[in-house]
Amino acid sequence: MSSPASKRVLAAVMIQERELLLPKHPMRARIDRMLGRLVSVGVAEAHELELKVEMAANGLY
């Protein structure tokens, strides 16, 4: 289900908008719901991003 384009988009988000990963970001609840939905339909990159979001929440990323 994943494509090189989706990988590039997720990588760009991670680099350009790092604060989106932080727990205090006002859109975090929405981001978490979206990631959960993408993971549930099998988007591999969404699971990878979900793990990075969790790491950022724990101060590890």
Side-chain angles (χ1 to χ4, degrees):
M1 286 188 99
S2 61
S3 70
S6 64
K7 289 181 183 182
R8 286 193 302 272
V9 169
L10 289 174
V13 167
M14 301 281 295
I15 292 167
Q16 295 176 8
E17 301 293 335
R18 281 189 97 85
E19 65 273 2
L20 288 173
L21 302 179
L22 300 176
K24 64 184 177 185
H25 193 278
M27 297 298 289
R28 242 326 265 291
R30 195 171 191 183
I31 291 166
D32 289 344
R33 285 191 307 271
M34 182 256 332
L35 282 173
R37 289 178 184 146
L38 291 173
V39 169
S40 71
V41 297
V43 178
E45 289 83 8
H47 180 66
E48 293 170 13
L49 182 56
E50 184 180 49
L51 293 175
K52 289 179 182 176
V53 168
E54 289 175 9
M55 288 174 58
N58 294 321
L60 301 172
Y61 186 77

